[in-house]
């Protein structure tokens, strides 16, 4: 008798949670997104699924999800950090983020960099995954790195 009560309560609670999840998803309150790139690391790991809600207002420096409709990019739900609003001036210089002329150094985020074959070999030697490096042509590649992964000579190469 006691086990039946526990089972019924667990079943009822589980059904209630699943019903709330379905209603939130269908109403647009809850969004699910796949993060294919490392651009949000270390906050969100590459190849992760995230759930976000549109109930709360957008805040600067928080993660947002939106439907990407620009035909130049693949469609879907994109997840990115909101770094500027309204008339803010956003600048990325040597991998550092500036908003309205103020250095924002609280995030250790990855950025896309164009790198040469020598730098790719160095990254692979240090344990980088080959899948994280995209070849553009015979000499240049694109990868996502954070400031700690850049060596001192990277910006002096003029890439």
């Amino acid at each position: 008798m006691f086990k039946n009560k526990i089972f019924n309560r667990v079943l009822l609670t589980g059904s209630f949670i699943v019903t709330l999840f379905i209603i939130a998803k269908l109403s647009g309150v809850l969004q699910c997104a796949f993060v294919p790139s490392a651009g949000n690391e270390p906050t969100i790991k590459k190849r992760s699924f995230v759930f976000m809600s549109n109930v709360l207002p957008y805040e600067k420096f928080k993660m947002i999800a939106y439907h990407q409709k620009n035909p130049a990019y693949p469609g879907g739900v994109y997840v990115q950090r909101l770094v500027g609003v309204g008339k803010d001036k956003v600048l990325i210089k040597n991998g550092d983020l500036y908003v309205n002329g103020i250095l924002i150094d609280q995030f250790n985020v990855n950025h896309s960099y164009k790198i040469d074959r020598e730098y790719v070999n160095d990254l692979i030697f240090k344990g980088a995954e080959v899948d994280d490096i995209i070849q553009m042509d015979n000499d240049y590649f694109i990868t996502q790195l954070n400031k700690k992964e850049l060596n001192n000579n990277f910006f002096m190469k003029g890439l």
Side-chain angles (χ1 to χ4, degrees), residues 104-153:
I104 308 299
D105 59 358
Q106 63 198 37
F107 310 112
N108 184 31
V109 297
N110 290 347
H111 301 283
S112 293
Y113 291 98
K114 179 180 176 182
I115 58 177
D116 64 8
R117 187 172 296 280
E118 178 184 346
Y119 201 84
V120 168
N121 292 338
D122 185 52
L123 288 174
I124 292 172
F125 179 74
K126 291 178 180 175
E129 293 184 34
V130 176
D131 293 343
D132 293 339
I133 301 169
I134 301 166
Q135 187 167 5
M136 293 174 53
D137 56 33
N138 287 336
D139 298 321
Y140 294 105
F141 301 79
I142 298 286
T143 193
Q144 304 250 338
L145 301 169
N146 63 45
K147 212 170 172 186
K148 293 178 183 176
E149 295 171 314
L150 297 174
N151 66 31
N152 293 334
N153 299 323

